Amino acid sequence: MSISNNTATIFCIANQKGGVGKTTTAINLAAALAAMRKRVLLIDLDPQGNATMGSGVDKNTVEKNLYQVLIGDTSITEARVPSESGGYDVLPANRELSGAEIDLIQMEEREKQLKQAIAHVVDEYDFILIDCPPTLSLLTLNGLASAHGVIIPMQCEYFALEGLSDLVNTIKRVYNNINPELQLIGLLRVMFDGRVTLQQQVSAQIESHFGSRVFETVIPRNVRLAEAPSHGMPGIVYDKNSRGAKAYIDFGNELIKRVKKEALRQQARPRL
Ligand code: ATP
Ligand code: MG
């Protein structure tokens, strides 16, 4: 893991469970980092195109999208568009991307197409965030193969831990076979409601299971975060004083600190 002035640090926001807050996290983290004057690219790796729409970019009218990048028809430089509301760039996606799986299967190094495309723009950004679909598909593999770290958003509910081992095993497999830089940066508790005893219990269970891999910041359930996408804005721009917005800004700060600490730890480690 490196934070460098010259090349981007790349994070995947992943969890194969649907509706757990991946896209909300990706959009608001992108906007929080942009508000800290970081240069950010948000890659929408989901055919649903929610990260695109939530950034105020119309997925149906964009000239080019991630699908054409993955099949080698265009570059990220050609396909990216600015999010006016968020202050970052977006590599948009729409339902065309669901066809990519079939095209990719026939390609050599099919899990490395995104990584190869990103290589051309890494020196233009401080951070690249990848919003993964709710699957452990070839698309998600392309995301994991490109990233330095994975952020896993999760809800503190009864079934939250179920399926997590599949994701952790996939991360390990990608680490061992495709991407030796990949690390599990942390688990982020989202949509948290501290009044619910079960949520407190599951939150404590996650802490005891994953220890320091759990981010200290907890994102509360907050209606402003849910309203923001329909206005084509990140929550932290739509209502910067809301509890949800403040939590995502805290999360941005915590993430940067954590990555810096990790980089120092690695520098101190004797080289073999
Ligand atoms: P998918 O798996 O379909 O890609 P996802 O994991 O990306 O879903 P989101 O789209 O971010 O999940 O969130 C699911 C729903 O929950 C959305 O309607 C979103 O607005 C809402 N939501 C996310 N985070 C919060 C929050 N902290 N408070 C309230 N609502 C939230
Ligand atoms: Mg999503």
Side-chain angles (χ1 to χ4, degrees):
M1 172 79 42
S2 62
I3 277 211
S4 135
N5 292 331
N6 305 322
T7 64
T9 305
I10 305 169
F11 294 117
C12 248
I13 293 105
N15 189 334
Q16 80 277 24
K17 255 187 207 294
V20 295
K22 293 180 288 294
T23 301
T24 306
T25 297
I27 291 173
N28 284 288
L29 179 60
L33 293 170
M36 293 177 213
R37 303 194 166 276
K38 305 292 183 193
R39 298 164 302 163
V40 183
L41 172 67
L42 172 57
I43 297 180
D44 191 347
L45 191 55
D46 187 347
Q48 294 180 99
N50 294 344
T52 304
M53 297 296 279
S55 300
V57 174
D58 186 347
K59 66 180 177 184
N60 298 311
T61 57
V62 286
E63 258 176 56
K64 292 180 173 154
N65 63 65
L66 176 58
Y67 171 72
Q68 284 111 21
V69 173
L70 286 179
I71 61 167
D73 271 5
T74 191
S75 63
I76 292 182
T77 316
E78 291 281 316
R80 68 185 166 194
V81 284
S83 162
E84 307 282 347
S85 57
Y88 51 84
D89 285 347
V90 183
L91 180 52
N94 55 34
R95 47 200 295 244
E96 232 185 307
L97 183 59
S98 53
E101 296 266 340
I102 295 160
D103 295 288
L104 283 170
I105 280 204
Q106 296 158 19
M107 295 168 98
E108 270 177 51
E109 298 209 289
R110 55 193 172 212
E111 68 290 323
K112 292 201 179 148
Q113 296 305 307
L114 182 61
K115 186 184 171 77
Q116 286 166 12
I118 288 175
H120 297 284
V121 296
V122 280
D123 53 353
E124 294 180 45
Y125 296 99
D126 300 306
F127 292 97
I128 297 178
L129 307 180
I130 303 170
D131 182 31
C132 289
T135 53
L136 290 175
S137 58
L138 196 43
L139 282 174
T140 299
L141 276 187
N142 265 269
L144 294 174
S146 309
H148 299 112
V150 189
I151 297 165
I152 305 178
M154 54 193 306
Q155 285 177 267
C156 294
E157 283 179 354
Y158 186 64
F159 290 117
L161 291 169
E162 199 184 84
L164 200 58
S165 58
D166 292 338
L167 178 56
V168 171
N169 284 336
T170 302
I171 292 169
K172 280 187 194 152
R173 263 196 296 134
V174 172
Y175 170 82
N176 286 325
N177 300 314
I178 312 175
N179 178 5
E181 286 193 87
L182 188 65
Q183 289 182 28
L184 171 56
I185 304 293
L187 286 90
L188 176 66
R189 289 161 289 178
V190 300
M191 296 190 228
F192 188 73
D193 184 346
R195 294 166 304 181
V196 179
T197 312
L198 178 66
Q199 293 215 6
Q200 289 173 3
Q201 288 168 349
V202 175
S203 174
Q205 203 183 350
I206 292 171
E207 277 175 357
S208 71
H209 249 79
F210 291 95
S212 61
R213 294 255 176 251
V214 184
F215 288 104
E216 277 173 31
T217 310
V218 175
I219 310 296
R221 182 170 284 283
N222 178 248
V223 71
R224 306 301 267 170
L225 290 173
E227 286 168 4
S230 65
H231 299 269
M233 281 182 204
I236 75 151
V237 177
Y238 174 61
D239 183 355
K240 67 179 194 307
N241 295 315
S242 64
R243 284 171 61 234
K246 286 182 177 157
Y248 271 116
I249 289 167
D250 288 348
F251 174 55
N253 284 313
E254 186 184 355
L255 179 66
I256 286 183
K257 262 195 224 140
R258 186 175 281 228
V259 172
K260 277 189 184 150
K261 209 156 87 187
E262 186 65 33
L264 286 176
R265 202 171 58 78
Q266 287 198 350
Q267 274 168 17
R269 200 186 281 165
R271 290 196 186 280
L272 295 174

